[in-house]
Structures are given as C-alpha cells and as structure tokens.
Amino acid sequence: MGFSAVGLSGFGGVLPFARRMLVEQRKWMTADEFNTQLGLCQFLPGPNVINLAVVVGKRYRGVAGAIIAPVGLLAGPLAIVLLLALLYDRYGSLPIAQSMLRGIAAVGCGLLFAMAWRMGSALKGKAVFLPFTALTVAAIAWLRWPLPIVMVAGLLLSGGVAWWQLGRK
C-alpha cells in the first residue's frame, strides 16, 4: 500500500516521495540505508525506484513483497497514463495543455533538486565521498567518458576509500 501511494503521488519521478515514505513517514529505513540501497539500485539495470521497491518489498515480505511492491508502484500510474494518453491525443495541441506540461516539468525539476539536497544532508561524516560526485559529473558531462567506465572506476575508487576508512576505525 505504501508503494501504491508513492506511485500515485508523483508523476515522472517518485523518488522524493519514496524517500519521504520510507525514511520520514514509515521509518522503514534510515537516511543512510536509503542512500545505500538507492546506490545499489542505481547500479542495477532498470528504473531505480522500481528496483528499490523490489528490494524493500523483499526485505519486509519476502518474494511476495518483491512482486507486490513494484506492482503497487506501477498499477495506478499505468492507468492514469493510459487515460492521459487518450486526453493528450484529443487535446494536446491546445496552448493551455502545452502550458500545463511546461509547469509540470518545472515542478519535476524542483522535486529532483529537493531530493538531492535531502540525500546530501544525510552524508554528514562522509564528506570524503563528496568529491566523487564532482568527478562523476566531470567525467561524464565534460570529458564525455563512457558511463560503464566511469561506473567501474567510481566503484573501485569509492570502494577503496570506504575500505581505507573502515580500516581506520
């Protein structure tokens, strides 16, 4: 039911809603656990939030939860998208419809930045990992390195830093 509510809460990006539900409302995960699980889910193929729903569903309800959580996440939005597709086919060329779509895109950008801010605030005491964000952006956006190479290099480098930090404790 939690993932059904999350799926119906957002349109085009439910990660901020998933974080709020999992960390702040239901307290199924700490902020650190959420960041860790999301990192794993980003590394796996497929949409991050669906992967996260599978992981959380499996954690709390086993195989049935791993199946039901992503179904709950997707069923409501699928029905809404089918309805919206019919409406867009009929009314999408109207100027008011185009204006509404631009507004929805702006809201989505704001939600993404708000979620990134919250996730970053959970990194207290882990500032040593912050340069990896800048390095990743530089490697992909500016140097145009292939994503698989950046991911493997980032995994090796950040894993080495984590191993070094654990050895110091």
Side-chain angles (χ1 to χ4, degrees):
M1 294 306 292
F3 279 104
S4 293
V6 165
L8 291 170
S9 296
F11 193 83
V14 296
L15 193 55
F17 298 105
R19 186 190 184 285
R20 185 178 335 136
M21 185 265 296
L22 292 169
V23 175
E24 297 167 15
Q25 293 173 340
R26 305 223 175 166
K27 300 192 185 319
W28 288 348
M29 304 174 109
T30 65
D32 193 41
E33 287 174 322
F34 179 85
N35 289 349
T36 302
Q37 292 300 323
L38 182 62
L40 169 68
C41 293
Q42 288 175 333
F43 200 71
L44 298 172
N48 302 333
V49 178
I50 294 173
N51 291 341
L52 186 63
V54 171
V55 168
V56 173
K58 170 78 169 79
R59 180 179 184 182
Y60 286 98
R61 296 288 185 223
V63 174
I67 294 168
I68 296 298
V71 168
L73 185 66
L74 294 172
L78 177 64
I80 292 170
V81 165
L82 290 174
L83 176 65
L84 289 174
L86 292 171
L87 291 171
Y88 183 76
D89 186 49
R90 175 115 175 138
Y91 304 107
S93 61
L94 296 176
I96 193 164
Q98 293 298 314
S99 296
M100 286 176 15
L101 291 174
R102 281 192 294 276
I104 290 170
V107 169
C109 288
L111 286 172
L112 179 65
F113 283 112
M115 185 209 51
W117 184 265
R118 284 187 179 164
M119 287 181 69
S121 67
L123 292 176
K124 293 175 184 151
K126 298 178 185 168
V128 71
F129 293 105
L130 290 178
F132 289 103
T133 303
L135 290 172
T136 301
V137 169
I140 293 172
W142 297 318
L143 299 175
R144 304 278 187 209
W145 290 355
L147 182 61
I149 291 173
V150 174
M151 288 178 68
V152 170
L155 178 66
L156 294 173
L157 288 172
S158 63
V161 170
W163 180 75
W164 173 72
Q165 277 205 319
L166 288 172
R168 289 181 36 204
K169 289 183 180 183

